[in-house]
Amino acid sequence: MNPVLEVKKLSRYFGGLKAVSEVDLSIAPNEIVALIGPNGAGKTTFFNCITGIYEPSEGEVLLHANGTTTSLNGKKPHAITALGLARTFQNIRLFQEMTVLENVMVGFHCRTSAGIMGALLHTPAALREEQETIDQAYGLLRSVNLHNSYAAKARNLPYGAQRRLEIARALATSPAVLLLDEPAAGMNPFETRELETLVQRIREAHKLCVLLIEHDMNIVMSMSDRIYVMEYGSCIAEGTPMEIRHNPKVIKAYLGEESHA
Amino acid sequence: MFKTRIIKALLAALWFMVLTFPIVGIQVNTTARNINWRWDRIASMGIGIFVLALLWNWCFERKALGLPIIKKLPDSFHYSFNELQNRPLFKKGLPIAILAAMLLMPLVSSIYQTNIMISAMVYVILALGLNIIVGLAGQLVLGYAAFYAVGAYTYGLLYHYFGLTFWACLPLGGLAAVIAGFLLGLPVLGLRGDYLAIVTLGFGEIVRLLLLSQGDITGGPRGISNIPRPSFFGMKMTLDQVTNYTYYLVLAGVLITILVISRLKNSRIGLALQALREDEIACEAMGINTTRIKLTAFMLCSCWAGFAGVIFAAKTTYLNPASFTFMDSAMILSMVVLGGMGSISGVVLAAMLLILAPEYLRAFSEYRMLLFGAVMVLMMIFRPQGIIAGAHRDYHISENIREKASPEDEEGNADSAERASA
Ligand SMILES: Nc1ncnc2c1ncn2[C@@H]1O[C@H](COP(=O)(O)OP(=O)(O)OP(=O)(O)O)[C@@H](O)[C@H]1O
Ligand SMILES: [Mg+2]
């Protein structure tokens, strides 16, 4: 099957540091792919390059969605999101002072169109669109089980709930590919298990593919279809969870890290 | 603990005494050619600073512990106040009462007082306009008075050279300010960081200096005089009548502004602006073109300054560059900050306070700037959300969407089949 997202020989340098070097990656429709690697391996930098926050130093990122192929190189983050790539952040970046519902409503921005005039004159079209946005946002909140706190301020949510809110907000942009940066970080085992089913449900319901960075090996092994392993900026292995588990390079990279820790 | 506090306060007192010694402690008598050493003043300075420093540290400690500075009101009071706030009578009644008072005011007050109120309301319009870009979008603008000047001089000059009326100039003044905002915002709003603050600060000075130096066009420091007040279908009005007429006009302007800003705040664009204020990177990642939305907000905010400028010119009938200094920009900015970023009622209240208080407390006028600075610093530290924090809107969720959720609330995972967003 044709991939949805295709990354070719992507590199990103910071001065002399090769944070990401020549990484190839592709995701097929409906796939859950994990990106793992020790701290500082360059995983987040890789995300930032795909989503336009950093410009890649070399390489190409292609998105095949809605029947067209678009190169994401040199595009601004908002344009990339509009094309169908949504993400969450490792260090939660919610709109803290806004309510939970409003956070998700912001995600609908690029899929709605009411302008200044519509807002000031309260045109029927603008009001209808707003009510639709509110209802859809509430629906998304229910799918991550946050609908009961829809009127709370985002910053008053517990940590795990904030992570789920970030996912709901990303879903509001109707992505073709969802990028999750350590969604289970800071969650307790119960929440982590819930997250696993949540991600799987999202994939089915929204017909999207997921690329996730995660340190928790249990969920990585049990939920992903394929795994990429990064170390010092390069991709050192790629394969099914089974293959990765027995890959000597990966074992070495991880054991090496553990003995340092 | 107690000891360190005392030592800290003593050090602060000593430091102040040394620092201010030349200004406070030495008085040179030039005729008698001798020096008065004013030890008493130095001493009282030291004691004063000692007490203040103790108080200051105490406040900070309370703040660090998360305790209120002033003892909390009893819960029952708090409760009844919340109750009161939610009563429809209070919610609807208070604005209506204020509006009624505002409507009646010119009928009972002198021209002088009506005029003060008009100035205060012009500042309310200005502050609410600035609130769009500073309060909602979180972008600092330091030269807002320049846009106000553009509006005012548009009317002044168009009247002077072409005899255009107030009503013709009102939209033109807004337009001129929007164009200025667009040209200024376009190059800098794409950048992350406080470039807008720097550029508008510069623009504020440039406009003022241009108005001063281009004397043959703008009248230079003498300005433009005899600008006509707003007309009402060409009717002849006495000074009393025209003042009252202006008053109602400006009041209408305030009400329209409040309507516009509150609608904007709750709209799709308004949410995007608030998201921008909260986190620019996340906002971009949500598919929002931050450059475009900043530019939109900035143009709208300059437009409002333009309108306010035309009204100001018509109200004073006289313009000169001294009305558009950095102090004015800073004043309007502090109204937004003191009132509460993004809070409409807070900004209105702060604007009223800052304009009316100096008028009625003449005794303080000498210390006005000092008090002003102190209040700003204290607010920033102890109540950064402003006098009245921005209220959250109650969203109405359609019944059919809402009901589906209720049976499984306890279980968590409302099951996947019922996803509203498919
Ligand atoms: N903006 C930047 N400027 C300079 N160096 C950077 C920058 N961003 C990341 N780096 C460096 O790039 C390397 C990769 O960092 P990155 O955050 O991508 O790692 P990571 O795999 O996400 O690690 P973690 O698991 O800790 O999140 C690190 O050495 C980091 O210090
Ligand atoms: Mg990371």
Side-chain angles (χ1 to χ4, degrees), chain A residues 36 221 227 229 237-247 250:
Chain A
I36 62 171
M221 290 299 168
I227 300 174
V229 187
E238 184 257 313
T240 62
M242 218 34 168
E243 291 163 0
I244 293 297
R245 206 192 292 271
H246 300 295
N247 187 315
V250 178

Side-chain angles (χ1 to χ4, degrees), chain B residues 256-390:
Chain B
I256 292 171
T257 308
I258 291 177
L259 184 74
V260 165
I261 308 285
S262 63
R263 284 194 169 180
L264 179 75
K265 183 180 168 188
N266 290 324
S267 70
R268 166 175 173 266
I269 308 280
L271 280 181
L273 289 175
Q274 291 172 60
L276 178 73
R277 175 186 69 192
E278 296 293 318
D279 190 323
E280 187 158 350
I281 289 180
C283 179
E284 264 190 294
M286 287 301 106
I288 294 169
N289 185 341
T290 48
T291 311
R292 194 158 105 198
I293 204 150
K294 275 192 240 176
L295 197 58
T296 310
F298 189 50
M299 281 161 64
L300 197 62
C301 131
S302 4
C303 177
W304 239 256
F307 289 150
V310 176
I311 295 174
F312 173 79
K315 179 226 146 203
T316 52
T317 73
Y318 167 72
L319 283 180
N320 78 353
S323 313
F324 309 102
T325 59
F326 175 68
M327 268 323 300
D328 295 273
S329 300
M331 186 78 129
I332 304 164
L333 184 64
S334 28
M335 289 168 186
V336 176
V337 174
L338 284 185
M341 305 271 267
S343 151
I344 294 173
S345 48
V347 170
V348 172
L349 187 66
M352 286 288 188
L353 277 179
L354 287 185
I355 298 300
L356 296 183
E359 291 294 341
Y360 291 107
L361 302 173
R362 284 274 170 209
F364 285 112
S365 58
E366 229 178 292
Y367 303 101
R368 186 170 133 192
M369 281 302 148
L370 199 64
L371 269 176
F372 202 57
V375 169
M376 287 289 276
V377 171
L378 289 176
M379 287 288 288
M380 285 287 116
I381 296 172
F382 294 107
R383 199 174 160 80
Q385 68 270 45
I387 308 177
I388 303 176

Side-chain angles (χ1 to χ4, degrees), chain A residues 44 90 181-182:
Chain A
T44 301
Q90 180 175 356
D181 198 342
E182 302 200 14

Side-chain angles (χ1 to χ4, degrees), chain A residues 14 17 19-20 37-46 54 90 181-182 213 215:
Chain A
F14 292 111
L17 176 77
V20 175
N39 288 114
K43 306 177 296 292
T44 301
T45 308
F46 181 75
Y54 294 155
Q90 180 175 356
D181 198 342
E182 302 200 14
I213 297 177
H215 280 298

Side-chain angles (χ1 to χ4, degrees), chain B residues 11 41 47 72 93 143 162 236 240 259 297 301 327 330 375:
Chain B
L11 280 177
R41 295 202 174 194
I47 294 166
K72 260 228 170 78
F162 305 104
K236 278 252 172 286
D240 207 10
L259 184 74
C301 131
M327 268 323 300
V375 169

Side-chain angles (χ1 to χ4, degrees), chain A residues 24-36:
Chain A
D24 287 305
L25 180 145
S26 69
I27 308 174
N30 231 18
E31 223 182 358
I32 296 184
V33 174
L35 182 60
I36 62 171

